[in-house]
Amino acid sequence: STNRTPRRDADRRRLLDATLPHIVFDGWTLVAMRAGAEDCGMPLADVRRLFPGGGDELLGFFVSEADRTMEEELVGRHLGNMRIRDRIATAVRVRLEQHTEHRDAIRRALALQALPQNGPGGLRALYRTVDAIWYAAGDSATDFNFYTKRLLLSGVYMSTLMFWLDDTSEGAEASWAFLDRRIENVMGIQKLKGRVERWLPSPDELVGKILARRGAGGASPFGSGGAST
């Protein structure tokens, strides 16, 4: 596709990098993008050529680039040698640390995504991020747990992100301790869920018991007030 070439992607990254310092003042807007273009010596006409959707498209590119660079970084971290909780913690930490110098830009992004018309786009971006984290952690599940894992991680990721944005501790150590506690909580929920599922009969077993009871003349477990057939 002519819309995705190495040269165009490189130009988009160059404009993004030059624009980030201006976002704290002007938000994710064309004003900030034009200031970035001037800083990196790019013709102003290229702003619309590279990002026809303006600031919203630039923000989407910012998120996808962050996911991509996180995945590249994690390849060299040998996650396969770690426990699953450590893989997740490492991935979330790498994802956040790459933006240490751009916290204000992320605050502006969260404010923008909080607008009602931008909510669906923000949720899609969050889903892609947590999906990339699980993929990097080696998750290959395709059953119902695929979705519950991503839902749980969304909560972990967003709460850690909000904590990290205002963290002034050395090396953001308070954030990583917070992250570990959140992951520990989620792992506890998963363990409890597993124990409950082992204790409960499966749906097939439950139906079988109900039918066996009714066949033996027992009362219907649903009472006598049901509709007649």
Side-chain angles (χ1 to χ4, degrees):
S1 169
T2 56
N3 285 336
R4 287 299 304 271
T5 66
R7 172 62 184 275
R8 185 171 186 273
D9 285 347
D11 286 344
R12 281 158 65 91
R13 292 186 192 107
R14 185 159 64 98
L15 180 56
L16 171 63
D17 291 343
T19 301
L20 282 170
H22 296 280
I23 289 171
V24 60
F25 305 107
D26 299 311
W28 293 85
T29 64
L30 283 172
V31 173
M33 296 168 74
R34 290 183 182 122
E38 289 181 358
D39 285 354
C40 67
M42 182 178 289
L44 293 182
D46 283 359
V47 172
R48 278 294 194 185
R49 178 180 66 83
L50 294 171
F51 293 99
D56 289 344
E57 186 175 350
L58 181 71
L59 175 53
F61 183 69
F62 172 73
V63 174
S64 64
E65 279 293 286
D67 292 341
R68 182 184 65 80
T69 54
M70 174 194 69
E71 291 173 312
E72 289 181 352
E73 170 69 19
L74 292 175
V75 168
R77 294 293 186 103
H78 306 294
L79 296 187
N81 299 328
M82 303 179 185
R83 299 180 303 171
I84 187 65
R85 68 181 64 192
D86 295 330
R87 298 180 201 176
I88 297 299
T90 298
V92 172
R93 181 168 177 169
V94 166
R95 181 66 169 73
L96 296 182
E97 282 184 330
Q98 64 182 320
H99 295 316
T100 298
E101 304 301 319
H102 305 300
R103 297 187 198 206
D104 287 328
I106 293 176
R107 289 189 183 94
R108 297 298 293 261
L110 291 173
L112 184 63
Q113 291 175 335
L115 297 175
Q117 67 268 27
N118 296 332
L123 289 175
R124 284 193 296 270
L126 174 61
Y127 177 83
R128 286 193 296 269
T129 295
V130 297
D131 186 53
I133 290 173
W134 270 117
Y135 181 79
D139 179 61
S140 58
T142 56
D143 57 9
F144 185 71
N145 279 332
F146 178 93
Y147 299 101
T148 57
K149 285 177 180 178
R150 280 147 184 80
L151 181 62
L152 289 169
L153 182 54
S154 294
V156 171
Y157 178 80
M158 285 304 299
S159 60
T160 304
L161 170 62
M162 300 305 292
F163 187 100
W164 172 83
L165 283 173
D166 294 319
D167 185 6
T168 58
S169 64
E170 183 71 24
E173 286 303 320
S175 292
W176 314 139
F178 176 87
L179 171 61
D180 288 340
R181 291 193 299 272
R182 292 289 289 115
I183 292 176
E184 185 63 34
N185 290 341
V186 167
M187 297 297 287
I189 292 172
Q190 287 290 86
K191 288 178 181 177
L192 176 61
K193 177 172 168 283
R195 287 197 294 269
V196 169
E197 286 175 346
R198 285 195 297 271
W199 177 74
L200 289 173
S202 70
D204 287 344
E205 291 172 334
L206 186 60
V207 170
K209 289 180 179 179
I210 291 172
L211 292 177
R213 182 175 179 182
R214 295 188 69 178
S220 167
F222 304 110
S224 58
S228 61
T229 57

